[in-house]
Amino acid sequence: MVLPLTANAAPQSETTAVSRTIDHDHEPTDLAAVEVHANPLGGSAEDLIRPVEVLAGERLDAAKANSLGETVNKLPGVQSSYFGPGVGRPIIRGFDGARVQVLSNGLASGDVSTVSVDHAVSIEPFLADQIEVLKGPATLLYGSGAIGGAVNVIDGRIPEHVTARPLQGRAELRAGTVNDQRTGMVRLDGTSASGNVVFHLDALHRETGDYDIPGFAESEHAHEEHESHEEPGHEEDHHEEELGVAGVLPNSAVRTDAAALGVSWIGERGFLGAGVSLFNSRYGVPGHAHAEAEHGEHEEPGLDEHLHEDEGHEAHGEGGVRIVMDQRRGEIRGGLDDLGGAFESLRVKLARTEYTHTEFEGEEIGTVFDNASTEARVELVHQPLWGWTGALGLQGSRRDFLAVGAEAFVPGSESSDTGVFWIGERDLGPTRLELGARHDRNRIDVDDAVAIGPDREFDTTSLSAALRWDVSDALHVSFGLDRAQRAPTAEELFSNGLHVATGSIELGNPELDVETANRAEIGLHWHNGPLQIGASLYQVRFDDFVYLADTGIDGEGVPVRAWTQHDARFNGAEAELDWTFIDNASGAWSLRVFGDVVRAELDGNGRRDVAVSVPHGDHSHDYNASLANDGDLPRIAPARLGSELSWTTGQWRASLGAVRYAEQDDVGEHESATPGYTLVDAHLAWHMDTSGGNSWELFVDGNNLLDEEARPHTSFLKDLAPLPGRGVEFGVRAFF
């Protein structure tokens, strides 16, 4: 396990005394002391056993971006998927999609971001108080979908504590040059005169236009491939049609609105609260069509001219694919401490989410995804038993999913999951041992079962052990062993058709079995005054790893990809150094250096034949595909090396950083390599405290200052949509 120096925090109980106040200010946050809500057991940074990363306070403010993946992208071992600026999902140690659970205050986000890579996560990072990243299998706590890790966003929308003041909050306004961004957010928290009723209110609005890029949207590699298929004399026309206008990425505008209201009653021993929230995002999917634009010009901020405002409006785009997603969520949470008897505390959570995702192709509705989910979770922390402090948990969820339209490559389905778990810790001299176990039963009933395959039911069992050895006050060594299992998703089992987002025919396999991951990890953390170092080595061996393989078959002009499974192994390493090398009248000067690498390969020899049935109208064509049993897995995040020089003094703080992404040439069959690139950023902030206890902060952030062409290897759009070019964001924050 890795113990990052400024980002680590120990698992901390959600049973912290409810009388504890919370305060939202600009002061530097000691991340080593921040409570982590993702684990029901108590602890501190000194007690940390499992690898957990935390973003909070000033560091979270500096990292916040339009997507959750981009926000956590600079943590060691964590990168982001990319499907335009509206879509970015966290990738943890090479794992993404259905292997990384995205949570809102410990419950699933309720969106369909695992169904397709062009579907956004329905969590707004600008409204987060804290973001927690659990690296390594988190199946023990959160079930099958967390076999690669979990990201838990804490937003305080249902208050669990009284506030430090009768009324407090924060607000922010920011603008950006690379995409004409305009973002505004406000948050209010307050406590009644009686001290028992606490409320929360937040709102956010963001608009951006198409963003600037260095050069053309289409990569040289893709352009050369297209030219090789062009008729002589048509290459120039193809360049204009496919690459679009240099300097701007058409169809990359985003508009997002989010809001929430929560109220809680808080007593001496517990709390009970409820909240409602909405999330609405409208974004273009770049790469599928190119609008007309003048060189260097932006669209006007906002998407009103392009997207349906409601059913009575028409889209006026140039044929590009645009998405409108809308989510409404209701939650109830409660907690009770000092129970007496065998248990110390109880936490109960219930969420109901209604989600609709509509894809517009020009002026026409292409596909509509509807997802209704209900999830409940109960946690009971028990009294010490035979020296073990532990917690019992019960979790259940149900999802009704329906897709209708041109991109309905996944049939409708009803999924249910029920899991029970126990996790416990005990001290053994200079060591601390953690053990845990979980069992889940998952069932998927598919609407078109007769045509596609039978309904499926899976049982998964996960076991975990972790040990921390305090060699000295300065040196801590940790070991982790896990056996985690994941049930295949409905998308992996029953996909059967053209997936427009990835430009491929995607075929599920109704006979997929449970995949099993066996992980071993060793980590260390050493600190001596202003210098701290953390590092880890890990290996994960999979039995029956499920992945999307390129078959090499061309189906009606697009590649055919099939879900299959084979043994695989992931080997990786992470390291981070944090050194405050000067702390005097000139200010505090700190250097942070981090790096990570992961290699993911199929674990076998030779090749195997797979029968593939490609749909073609009312019929299908049958093929025999030959797949490699060895070699690299596709779309694995490249190695990185990053550094950041920071300075703080009085009212000022500043930083200059750079991250080098290596060339990724360890690629899967039929996959192209991706060139390396370097992203340089800088940040400057000045804050002022007022006599009334409020404060203001002005900030300027520069991103991709070298204006480098950057194409993430993890993106299906890497050859069609590079990352934004040089941009500056600036604004003001208020804390009151």
Side-chain angles (χ1 to χ4, degrees):
M1 67 185 281
V2 69
L3 297 176
L5 307 167
T6 59
N8 255 330
Q12 176 68 29
S13 172
E14 290 190 319
T15 64
T16 304
V18 293
S19 61
R20 183 178 183 274
T21 61
I22 54 174
D23 195 6
H24 309 286
D25 58 27
H26 67 277
E27 295 300 326
T29 301
D30 180 8
L31 295 181
V34 170
E35 299 173 5
V36 176
H37 299 265
N39 192 317
L41 299 179
S44 67
E46 293 304 315
D47 300 319
L48 182 64
I49 298 178
R50 292 183 166 274
V52 179
E53 300 269 2
V54 176
L55 283 175
E58 289 179 352
R59 191 172 178 190
L60 176 57
D61 285 339
K64 286 177 179 177
N66 289 354
S67 70
L68 181 60
E70 187 181 353
T71 299
V72 299
N73 189 45
K74 284 190 178 180
L75 296 175
V78 185
Q79 297 195 34
S80 177
S81 67
Y82 190 73
F83 213 88
V87 183
R89 210 173 190 278
I91 299 173
I92 301 177
R93 294 180 170 179
F95 300 113
D96 62 353
R99 292 183 180 89
V100 173
Q101 182 79 280
V102 175
L103 306 164
S104 175
N105 301 283
L107 295 177
S109 58
D111 53 44
V112 294
S113 60
T114 62
V115 173
S116 176
V117 291
D118 63 328
H119 297 176
V121 174
S122 59
I123 293 178
E124 175 50 59
F126 271 85
L127 297 173
D129 290 336
Q130 182 172 311
I131 299 177
E132 306 162 357
V133 180
L134 283 69
K135 295 188 288 188
T139 53
L140 189 68
L141 293 172
Y142 295 107
S144 180
I147 197 170
V151 178
N152 188 31
V153 179
I154 306 299
D155 53 32
R157 285 177 159 178
I158 298 181
E160 298 185 17
H161 318 284
V162 299
T163 56
R165 303 180 184 181
L167 183 63
Q168 63 185 41
R170 65 177 186 261
E172 179 174 325
L173 293 173
R174 72 165 58 199
T177 62
V178 76
N179 55 4
D180 290 335
Q181 176 187 179
R182 302 292 185 269
T183 298
M185 66 81 66
V186 62
R187 168 176 179 157
L188 293 173
D189 296 273
T191 302
S192 67
S194 67
N196 295 118
V197 179
V198 183
F199 77 89
H200 167 94
L201 175 68
D202 67 52
L204 173 137
H205 177 74
R206 176 191 299 113
E207 295 188 13
T208 78
D210 292 343
Y211 67 76
D212 290 336
I213 56 175
F216 289 100
E218 189 177 66
S219 69
E220 287 299 322
H221 166 76
H223 181 55
E224 290 171 1
E225 284 210 344
H226 288 159
E227 279 190 330
S228 68
H229 293 90
E230 289 289 330
E231 295 181 7
H234 288 220
E235 290 87 351
E236 183 176 345
D237 293 339
H238 172 80
H239 189 280
E240 289 298 323
E241 178 184 351
E242 287 295 321
L243 272 72
V245 179
V248 66
L249 183 67
N251 201 29
S252 59
V254 178
R255 173 174 173 173
T256 300
D257 294 283
L261 174 65
V263 179
S264 295
W265 182 91
I266 296 178
E268 294 183 359
R269 295 178 51 212
F271 76 96
L272 179 63
V276 293
S277 61
L278 65 87
F279 181 89
N280 182 282
S281 187
R282 309 164 184 194
Y283 56 92
V285 179
H288 290 1
H290 299 276
E292 299 294 330
E294 294 294 328
H295 174 70
E297 290 185 356
H298 291 290
E299 291 182 9
E300 290 297 318
L303 299 179
D304 290 340
E305 68 184 45
H306 302 291
L307 297 175
H308 291 248
E309 288 292 337
D310 52 49
E311 294 182 359
H313 287 69
E314 292 186 352
H316 303 289
E318 298 290 334
V321 177
R322 296 182 178 272
I323 291 174
V324 176
M325 56 178 290
D326 185 84
Q327 177 174 287
R328 308 299 167 99
R329 185 178 175 98
E331 293 187 61
I332 298 174
R333 297 177 184 269
L336 189 61
D337 297 328
D338 303 324
L339 294 178
F343 296 99
E344 291 183 357
S345 62
L346 168 70
R347 288 294 180 269
V348 179
K349 307 173 185 179
L350 174 66
R352 172 68 177 178
T353 305
E354 301 284 348
Y355 175 98
T356 299
H357 172 118
T358 305
E359 300 185 355
F360 294 94
E361 300 175 9
E363 298 183 358
E364 302 296 327
I365 294 178
T367 308
V368 178
F369 296 86
D370 284 321
N371 192 68
S373 63
T374 303
E375 183 176 4
R377 183 179 177 93
V378 179
E379 298 172 353
L380 271 169
V381 176
H382 62 71
Q383 299 287 356
L385 181 64
W386 300 309
W388 290 89
T389 300
L392 294 168
L394 177 65
Q395 183 175 3
S397 64
R398 181 179 179 87
R399 184 185 86 157
D400 295 328
F401 171 79
L402 179 65
V404 179
E407 199 189 344
F409 65 99
V410 182
S413 62
E414 294 182 0
S415 303
S416 61
D417 181 86
T418 303
V420 59
F421 66 88
W422 175 83
I423 183 172
E425 293 180 358
R426 70 169 299 171
D427 292 326
L428 299 171
T431 65
R432 170 168 290 188
L433 177 65
E434 178 188 280
L435 297 177
R438 178 172 177 133
H439 182 78
D440 282 81
R441 171 158 291 186
N442 176 276
R443 181 174 176 84
I444 302 174
D445 297 324
V446 63
D447 291 350
D448 298 328
V450 175
I452 297 175
D455 298 336
R456 296 296 305 274
E457 188 170 291
F458 303 94
D459 288 288
T460 59
T461 300
S462 298
L463 304 172
S464 177
L467 178 72
R468 171 184 163 126
W469 176 26
D470 296 330
V471 180
S472 66
D473 290 340
L475 178 63
H476 314 293
V477 181
S478 59
F479 307 89
L481 293 172
D482 297 275
R483 177 190 182 272
Q485 291 189 312
R486 184 181 76 90
T489 65
E491 299 77 50
E492 295 164 339
L493 292 166
F494 303 119
S495 295
N496 189 45
L498 178 63
H499 188 174
V500 176
T502 62
S504 65
I505 293 174
E506 192 168 311
L507 304 176
N509 183 352
E511 298 180 358
L512 292 176
D513 202 355
V514 168
E515 69 177 24
T516 302
N518 298 288
R519 180 191 70 117
E521 181 170 351
I522 182 171
L524 65 85
H525 176 245
W526 178 80
H527 57 88
N528 183 12
L531 177 62
Q532 302 183 63
I533 298 174
S536 71
L537 293 170
Y538 61 88
Q539 182 181 79
V540 187
R541 285 188 173 272
F542 279 89
D543 297 329
D544 296 324
F545 181 80
V546 178
Y547 68 103
L548 186 61
D550 196 323
T551 64
I553 297 171
D554 186 285
E556 299 185 8
V558 296
V560 176
R561 298 188 175 109
W563 287 102
T564 185
Q565 57 187 167
H566 193 71
D567 295 348
R569 64 183 182 274
F570 285 67
N571 297 309
E574 303 164 3
E576 186 175 25
L577 176 148
D578 198 332
W579 180 28
T580 303
F581 57 91
I582 296 176
D583 192 355
N584 55 29
S586 69
W589 296 79
S590 299
L591 175 67
R592 174 180 178 250
V593 179
F594 74 94
D596 51 52
V597 61
V598 61
R599 183 75 182 273
E601 302 172 287
L602 293 170
D603 197 1
N605 295 295
R607 305 184 69 85
R608 68 188 188 277
D609 292 331
V610 177
V612 176
S613 181
V614 180
H616 181 77
D618 296 331
H619 308 284
S620 62
H621 295 161
D622 296 330
Y623 300 89
N624 283 323
S626 177
L627 303 180
N629 288 332
D630 55 8
D632 297 289
L633 286 165
R635 293 175 295 280
I636 298 299
R640 296 184 302 175
L641 180 63
S643 64
E644 183 179 56
L645 177 65
S646 302
W647 167 74
T648 61
T649 181
Q651 297 173 296
W652 293 91
R653 71 176 187 273
S655 67
L656 176 65
V659 181
R660 174 63 184 178
Y661 291 78
E663 176 189 10
Q664 181 56 290
D665 53 8
D666 297 324
V667 296
E669 199 169 21
H670 309 294
E671 183 187 23
S672 62
T674 305
Y677 53 91
T678 302
L679 298 180
V680 177
D681 61 89
H683 307 271
L684 178 65
W686 174 83
H687 73 261
M688 177 186 67
D689 296 323
T690 67
S691 58
N694 303 323
S695 60
W696 296 83
E697 184 168 275
L698 302 177
F699 63 90
V700 179
D701 300 326
N703 298 297
N704 194 6
L705 296 179
L706 301 182
D707 202 28
E708 183 144 354
E709 183 176 301
R711 298 181 182 274
H713 184 75
T714 57
S715 173
F716 278 93
L717 292 183
K718 68 175 185 176
D719 288 320
L720 298 176
L723 295 179
R726 182 188 299 114
V728 176
E729 295 184 7
F730 51 90
V732 58
R733 301 185 183 102
F735 305 86
F736 51 89

